[in-house]
Each structure stands twice: as structure tokens, then as C-alpha cells.
Amino acid sequence: MRLLFLIAALGLTLAACQRSSPPLLSSAGSLAGQLTAEGDALMAQGDYERAAVKYQSALNEAPNEIAIRYALAVALSYTTRRDETIHQFKIVVSRGAPSSAEVKAAREWLAGANVLEETSISVIPSIAQAEGGVGKAGRVVGRIQWHDIDPHERMARITVSLTGEDVATRNVTVTRPFKIGYPYEFRNIPPGSYRLLAEVGGTPMWDMKIDVSADNDTALDLTEANSTVPKDFDPTRS
């Protein structure tokens, strides 16, 4: 049986990028499979707390099923149980196959919640030293807001990248996934000029120039006021 939440929950694509359906559970007729199906039905109804209970019961029956653990994490992400959500997603990342849809989506969620330490960074060696703490670096921070989007109700994934545009930073590229409605942050960015590009499903929503200073925060909120797309653009449908 398929875990239906992967089609709907978090869009997961997470409402921004369509993904393929997850693999079938190994024993569809088992108690774990039945409990998972009941959890799927509750997720479809928006009853996330009860869905989490069902998935937890299913996980008790099949503790090694990453798909079930991922389902539990997704259900928890719609509740106020943030610490449990983080814990379950981290287990998915540590135990699941790196190339699996569950692990990729779990990593994206953790990165969007600013609890995944890794970022995708491509730099030349001299700047890599700055990333490791040698020399001066700055930070780029802000919120990503679009109309009344509440990430707990409608998920919109967005990819934000910084690309160096002067002699000192031209080989620097930093890219991370975030969620609209939450803060974003880039740490240990070498000082200089950058292009900030924020895209949803291949559509650039923000495209602007910024200057990063050493040992300082560069604060930039991404809102309707400085976006490049029409005000009626719906990122949850991209």
C-alpha cells in the first residue's frame, strides 16, 4: 500500500515540487500496513495528532520501516511537537537510503527549520578556510513572507542561493532549501557582493544584489514588496 501523505503532506514535494510516490510497504497485509493505512486516512482528513498515533503504533510493529517513520515525522510536523518532529526526521536521515525520497525530503525539512548543519557550498580553497572560521565572514538573515501563507497550513518550498559577483567572491555559491513563512539564514559568508536568487519550482520570486560585510549581519526580508513576480503568484501551486 502506498503512503498517501507523500502525495499531499508537505506538498512534498512540499507543496512546491512534485515527487514520485514512495515504495510499497514490505508487508501490505500486516498490522503495520493496516495501521499505516489508517494513519494515511487521518492525514487526508487533516487529523494530524491521531494520524501520528497510528503511525507510531505502526512503527512499533515495524521499527525498521523508514517509510513509516517518515510518515510519523510528517504528521508530527503539522503539530506543535517540534522536538519530536526533528528527532524523527533526523532518524530518517541517519538510517534511510541517502538517495531515497524520504531522506531527501527529511533533509529539506531539517534545513528549512535551520536544524540541519550541512549546506551545499562550492568554494575555492581560500574561501573554504573562511567557512571553517579562518578570517572574517558575515551572515545573511531575514524572513520569507508571501501574503498570508501559513507554513503549518500550506507548505511552499523555496530554494535560496547566494552567488558571488566580485573578484573576492566570484567562486562562492551557497544554496539551501527553506520554507515560505519561516526565517532564512546563511552563516560564515565571505564579505563581498552577491546575487541572491530565491526560486519556487524554477520560478524566480526574488532576484537581487546584496553586499555582505565582515562580522556583521546583512538583514533582508523577502516579501511581496521586493519580489519579481506578480502579487497574485501562488507559490504553493508551482
Side-chain angles (χ1 to χ4, degrees), residues 12-30:
L12 243 129
T13 17
L14 287 158
C17 328
Q18 294 298 319
R19 295 187 192 279
S20 59
S21 299
L24 296 177
L25 289 177
S26 57
S27 46
S30 68

Side-chain angles (χ1 to χ4, degrees), residues 5 37 39 51 65 78 91 110 115 146 209 215 220:
F5 67 89
E65 282 282 6
Y78 282 92
I91 293 177
L110 291 167
V115 291
W146 190 254
K209 309 288 187 181
D215 296 328
L220 176 64

Side-chain angles (χ1 to χ4, degrees), residues 72-143:
L72 172 61
V74 171
L76 289 171
S77 73
Y78 282 92
T79 72
T80 59
R81 296 153 65 180
R82 177 180 169 82
D83 290 344
E84 292 178 65
T85 304
I86 293 171
H87 176 67
Q88 294 298 338
F89 273 132
K90 284 187 173 182
I91 293 177
V92 171
V93 170
S94 65
R95 298 183 186 176
S99 61
S100 69
E102 291 89 353
V103 170
K104 290 178 180 178
R107 287 176 62 83
E108 289 179 3
W109 189 94
L110 291 167
N114 293 323
V115 291
L116 182 68
E117 290 76 16
E118 299 177 23
T119 56
S120 173
I121 301 176
S122 173
V123 295
I124 58 177
S126 60
I127 294 179
Q129 292 177 356
E131 287 287 341
V134 178
K136 303 293 185 179
R139 190 170 71 126
V140 180
V141 296
R143 289 193 64 86

Side-chain angles (χ1 to χ4, degrees), residues 146-147 149 200 203-205 227 229-236 238:
W146 190 254
H147 298 299
I149 288 182
V200 172
T203 300
M205 289 189 67
S227 177
V229 297
K231 295 281 192 296
D232 61 354
F233 177 74
D234 185 354
T236 66
S238 297

